[in-house]
């Protein structure tokens, strides 16, 4: 039977008052010949603890979900905090650096590391996650018969396939990829790009001066990056040129909805087939495709100001699970939280703020109840 929302809230309150001491066990994984850091957190209890594997989002992120941005800065992730929160509530928690992630934080090795990561497929990432899970299951203090898999964003796709493969006791998805990757990327332009760029446009039509000004505006990196889609292929830093392909009526302005949106949607649908990560032959099924097969308990965590994933997708996934006959699925929709489940005033201001305590406690309560 599905635990009630009241029961989960009560469990969360009780757990907050009974946090346990935690031991960290450093590990090294062999990911297809590449050494990779990992860490298993264990509660200091004599009994074996249920295992939770944490899988990060897009790109070569480290075990905390941190990544090196294109401007050389590091965007800090919250998975370390999440892991410690879960372990303090009696759960063994495994997390690991993605293949080659450590090299992306060093400017000297970052270009080669990023290029190598770009050649990986989703099946490679699934294999790496399986290695991490198998390593954790073999560790003393872990109850290998009780395994849960968590995936954030793109990691939700890997987590779902792995959970099915190993017969996990439950699946947790955070900002899940429900529709195709092409449609998910196009929806980002529609939900984030157009609202962010509209103030720089004239009646919804954006010219080069407005486009250039948008890169200095008060938006998140994702919001600001959407304008790059409107440059012509001949553009350079010294000579930026508005896309003549998107400016279908050649008036020197791009209509964001009538001209840009259809063309960018078509571009993503064509271009994902050229990516090893997203090409049909080398990717994994998104959650909308897997819903009929996901009969195990599922927890969905979603912020309502998430810029990367439309909250409507998470709601549609929850509905699809119900239609498929899953009797144990829970959707937690958080007001004012973004893609990281940190505070975000709007989708154009979703800056991967640190994860709030409530989603972490809700996840701990759900896992304990299962």
């Amino acid at each position: 039977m599905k635990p009630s929302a009241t029961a989960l809230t009560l469990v969360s309150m009780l757990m907050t008052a009974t946090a346990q001491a935690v031991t960290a066990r450093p590990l090294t994984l062999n990911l297809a010949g590449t050494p990779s850091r990992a860490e298993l957190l264990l509660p200091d209890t004599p009994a074996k603890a249920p295992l939770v594997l944490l899988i990060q989002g897009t790109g070569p992120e480290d075990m905390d979900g941190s990544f090196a941005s294109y401007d050389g800065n590091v965007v800090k992730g919250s998975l370390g905090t999440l892991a410690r929160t879960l372990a303090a509530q009696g759960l063994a928690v495994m997390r690991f650096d993605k293949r080659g992630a450590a090299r992306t934080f060093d400017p000297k090795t970052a270009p080669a590391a990023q290029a190598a990561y770009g050649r990986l497929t989703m099946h490679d990432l699934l294999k790496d996650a399986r290695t991490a899970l198998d390593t954790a299951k073999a560790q003393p203090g872990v109850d290998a018969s009780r395994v849960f898999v968590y995936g954030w964003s793109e990691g939700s796709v890997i987590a779902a396939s792995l959970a099915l493969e190993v017969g996990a006791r439950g699946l947790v998805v955070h900002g899940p990829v429900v529709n195709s990757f092409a449609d998910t990327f196009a929806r980002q332009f529609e939900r984030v790009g157009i609202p962010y760029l509209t103030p720089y446009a004239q009646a919804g039509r954006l010219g080069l001066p407005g486009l250039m000004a948008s890169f200095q505006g008060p938006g998140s990196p994702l919001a600001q990056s959407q304008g790059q889609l409107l440059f012509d292929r001949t553009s350079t830093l010294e000579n930026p040129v508005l896309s003549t392909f998107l400016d279908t009526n050649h008036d020197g302005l791009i209509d964001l909805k009538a001209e840009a949106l259809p063309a960018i949607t078509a571009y993503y649908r064509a271009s994902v087939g050229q990516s090893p990560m997203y090409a049909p032959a080398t990717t994994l099924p998104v959650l909308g495709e897997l819903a009929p097969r996901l009969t195990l308990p599922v927890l969905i965590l979603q912020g309502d100001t998430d810029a990367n994933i439309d909250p409507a997708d998470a709601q549609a996934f929850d509905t699809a699970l119900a239609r498929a006959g899953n009797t144990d699925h829970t959707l937690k929709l958080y007001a004012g939280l973004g893609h990281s489940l940190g505070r975000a005033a709007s989708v154009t201001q979703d800056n991967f703020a640190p994860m709030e305590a409530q989603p972490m406690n809700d996840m701990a309560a759900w896992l304990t109840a299962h």
Side-chain angles (χ1 to χ4, degrees), residues 180-310:
S180 72
F181 287 103
D183 287 348
T184 299
F185 297 147
R187 188 75 175 120
Q188 288 175 3
F189 180 77
E190 183 177 11
R191 295 180 57 244
V192 182
I194 291 179
Y196 177 71
L197 294 169
T198 294
Y200 301 95
Q202 306 168 25
R205 298 160 71 218
L206 186 66
L208 186 60
L211 176 58
M212 298 303 296
S214 73
F215 294 107
Q216 305 301 319
S220 66
L222 176 64
Q224 292 183 341
S225 72
Q226 298 299 300
Q228 297 177 9
L229 298 167
L230 307 185
F231 282 120
D232 196 82
R233 291 183 178 181
T234 63
S235 286
T236 63
L237 289 174
E238 297 75 20
N239 184 35
V241 179
L242 201 66
S243 172
T244 54
F245 176 76
L246 296 181
D247 181 13
T248 56
N249 62 1
H250 309 294
D251 64 353
L253 299 169
I254 295 176
D255 189 306
L256 295 173
K257 292 183 178 179
E259 293 179 317
L261 180 58
I264 288 172
T265 300
Y267 161 76
Y268 278 127
R269 289 176 178 170
S271 65
V272 294
Q274 309 304 314
S275 164
M277 196 68 71
Y278 306 125
T282 51
T283 195
L284 294 170
V286 295
L287 296 189
E289 298 173 53
L290 284 181
R293 296 173 54 197
L294 293 171
T295 57
L296 75 171
V298 178
L299 173 64
I300 309 164
L301 306 173
Q302 178 68 50
D304 75 348
T305 50
D306 187 330
N308 294 65
I309 299 296
D310 190 340

Side-chain angles (χ1 to χ4, degrees), residues 40-43 49-53 83 86-87 90-94 141-143:
L40 178 68
L41 296 183
L42 287 161
L51 175 63
V52 186
L53 175 69
L86 299 180
L91 298 156
V93 187
M94 177 71 163
V142 171
D143 184 349

Side-chain angles (χ1 to χ4, degrees), residues 23-113:
T23 298
R25 185 177 297 166
L27 299 166
T28 300
L29 305 180
N30 180 356
L31 302 182
T34 300
S36 185
R37 292 185 314 150
E39 184 177 76
L40 178 68
L41 296 183
L42 287 161
D44 289 342
T45 58
K48 290 186 175 183
L51 175 63
V52 186
L53 175 69
L54 305 185
I55 302 176
Q56 317 90 314
T58 304
E61 297 183 355
D62 72 7
M63 67 173 69
D64 292 334
S66 301
F67 59 92
S69 61
Y70 290 109
D71 59 9
N73 294 318
V74 174
V75 179
K76 296 291 186 180
S78 296
L79 296 191
T81 304
L82 174 61
R84 289 185 288 274
T85 299
L86 299 180
Q89 307 303 335
L91 298 156
V93 187
M94 177 71 163
R95 67 195 202 285
F96 64 100
D97 285 359
K98 279 189 173 183
R99 197 185 305 186
R103 291 170 56 83
T104 65
F105 292 89
D106 183 343
K108 296 178 181 178
T109 56

Side-chain angles (χ1 to χ4, degrees), residues 113-138:
Q114 291 282 0
Y117 187 86
R119 293 189 289 270
L120 298 178
T121 71
M122 201 71 75
H123 286 274
D124 291 326
L125 299 187
L126 175 61
K127 181 179 179 181
D128 290 351
R130 187 185 307 122
T131 296
L133 181 63
D134 289 344
T135 301
K137 288 170 64 177

